Amino acid sequence: MRIQLPQEKPQDVLAALLAPEMVEVNSLIKNRMASDAAPRIPEVTGHLIDAGGKRLRPLLTLASAEMCGNKSPYHIHLAATVEFIHTATLLHDDVVDESKQRRGRPTANLLWDNQSSVLVGDYLFSRSFQLMVETGNLRVLDILANASATIAEGEVLQLTVAQNLSTTEDTYLKVIRGKTAALFEAACKVGGVISNANEKIIDALASYGDALGICFQITDDLLDYNGSAANLGKSIGDDFRERKMSLPLIKVLKKSNAAEKDFWKRTIEIGDQKNNDLDYALELMSKHNALNDTLNDAVFWSNKAKESIITLPKSPLRDVLLELPNYVVSRLS
């Protein structure tokens, strides 16, 4: 299946439509990541935040608020909040995964150390809660606090099923719904809540964020096996080397014969990997159509995201949000 690549990247169009608001968000981020007491905090945070991330989650918050006719100034706080939460999780993830590259640059834990990455991540979580409280909206605090807890649950669940060849697709979905989709959902939902939108619109935005986040993570997992280092900003095959039970691996395991399952047991369960094992893993995934089956799942969630907001009032922002799921999947073309 081939997905037609849009002429303009939807996130770039989104950033252009929301440029004045994003200037305020970036200013607030830089202001709140500062620390006179510990200069290493802005050094570590700046290294990751300034590395050219897409700022997709804060853009979703701003777009959702704008679509709902927002009159509150606190959508800026919420957009900065979701970016801080996201950045904190990246700092922690790179320590857990022992990653060496993020967004095409050395990871913070490689340049400094694990302790700095963990503690600066903790600092950003604290800053995010300060920003939430400043909105004075208890429901917003509840949504983002729950999302933060859900993200941690998803990461812990991923650890507990790591190298477990019996991991099911349902369990995988729970993992990515926690570690990725929860923040997408919250980012969209709080934009509607801070704007006092009606509950049907808030629910539609939340459903959109959930489906988009799932599509985003499935696509990322698939790119790890058939993407390029330029697209990923990290090494190809990292998930294989880290023995993660991502969707392509779960799908190929279903169709593998006894000898092939022995290969997966050696490389994933036991961790005895040799030089050409990644090539053979890719050969097996091609043989059993695992990559195309994973792509079909990504397309399913892409369509689900679009269906969630298709009934919302037409606007330039809604139209861009409808294109965004297509673009996420088109990265695989």
Side-chain angles (χ1 to χ4, degrees):
M1 179 183 297
R2 288 192 62 83
I3 310 296
Q4 186 175 358
L5 190 68
Q7 288 185 331
E8 279 190 283
K9 295 179 181 179
Q11 69 263 36
D12 292 342
V13 178
L14 206 57
L17 290 171
L18 297 165
E21 290 87 351
M22 278 306 298
V23 169
E24 293 184 62
V25 172
N26 289 329
S27 175
L28 185 57
I29 285 172
K30 288 190 177 295
N31 177 266
R32 296 303 177 93
M33 74 183 196
S35 172
D36 293 331
R40 181 163 294 186
I41 289 174
E43 288 177 10
V44 174
T45 305
H47 172 74
L48 187 54
I49 286 181
D50 296 339
K54 295 178 284 293
R55 294 282 206 279
L56 181 55
R57 292 154 190 82
L59 284 169
L60 290 172
T61 298
L62 296 175
S64 298
E66 183 74 19
M67 286 166 56
C68 294
N70 175 65
K71 303 297 181 188
S72 167
Y74 289 114
H75 62 309
I76 303 297
H77 281 61
L78 295 178
T81 295
V82 297
E83 185 65 10
F84 272 165
I85 293 172
H86 177 54
T87 304
T89 62
L90 295 184
L91 286 168
H92 288 169
D93 285 354
D94 286 342
V95 172
V96 172
D97 296 337
E98 299 180 354
S99 300
K100 293 179 171 56
Q101 194 176 46
R102 167 78 65 180
R103 294 172 179 169
R105 303 173 72 186
T107 54
N109 51 301
L110 185 66
L111 291 177
W112 285 275
D113 48 55
N114 286 342
Q115 295 95 322
S116 295
S117 288
V118 170
L119 293 173
V120 172
D122 291 345
Y123 177 82
L124 293 183
F125 268 124
S126 301
R127 281 301 202 197
S128 72
F129 277 89
Q130 288 177 331
L131 286 165
M132 293 179 220
V133 170
E134 288 172 24
T135 68
N137 188 311
L138 190 58
R139 187 176 178 191
V140 158
L141 183 59
D142 181 60
I143 292 166
L144 289 168
N146 283 336
S148 298
T150 301
I151 292 166
E153 286 178 335
E155 294 287 359
V156 174
L157 179 58
Q158 179 172 257
L159 276 178
T160 61
V161 301
Q163 298 99 51
N164 184 348
L165 300 186
S166 63
T167 301
T168 65
E169 291 191 25
D170 285 344
T171 299
Y172 168 82
L173 189 58
K174 287 179 185 176
V175 169
I176 66 169
R177 213 169 213 142
K179 74 169 197 168
T180 301
L183 190 54
F184 275 83
E185 178 182 355
C188 293
K189 190 172 185 178
V190 294
V193 169
I194 202 68
S195 307
N196 295 313
N198 72 53
E199 290 303 315
K200 284 188 177 180
I201 291 178
I202 291 172
D203 288 344
L205 291 169
S207 296
Y208 173 83
D210 173 64
L212 180 66
I214 292 171
C215 174
F216 187 92
Q217 188 59 58
I218 291 175
T219 303
D220 257 18
D221 290 347
L222 187 49
L223 279 169
D224 192 79
Y225 284 101
N226 75 345
S228 68
N231 285 339
L232 286 172
K234 60 179 184 178
S235 303
I236 300 301
D238 276 353
D239 286 354
F240 177 77
R241 284 182 285 271
E242 292 165 13
R243 301 150 65 198
K244 287 184 179 178
M245 294 304 300
S246 63
L247 193 55
L249 179 54
I250 293 170
K251 285 187 178 294
V252 75
L253 273 162
K254 278 185 183 178
K255 297 179 180 179
S256 292
N257 60 35
E260 291 163 352
K261 284 181 179 176
D262 285 341
F263 166 79
W264 297 117
K265 183 172 183 177
R266 173 175 64 80
T267 57
I268 303 299
E269 189 175 287
I270 298 173
D272 176 19
Q273 296 188 4
K274 301 180 179 8
N275 285 338
N276 296 322
D277 282 344
L278 177 58
D279 291 336
Y280 185 58
L282 292 171
E283 184 182 319
L284 290 179
M285 287 182 179
S286 177
K287 171 186 173 182
H288 293 301
N289 215 31
L291 298 180
N292 196 60
D293 288 347
T294 302
L295 172 57
N296 288 336
D297 280 16
V299 171
F300 169 83
W301 287 104
S302 170
N303 290 335
K304 198 168 179 64
K306 291 181 286 185
E307 289 165 6
S308 299
I309 59 167
I310 192 67
T311 59
L312 296 187
K314 284 195 69 172
S315 70
L317 284 171
R318 190 210 66 163
D319 291 346
V320 177
L321 291 185
L322 285 172
E323 280 300 315
L324 187 55
N326 292 337
Y327 177 74
V328 169
V329 178
S330 74
R331 295 182 301 159
L332 298 165
S333 300

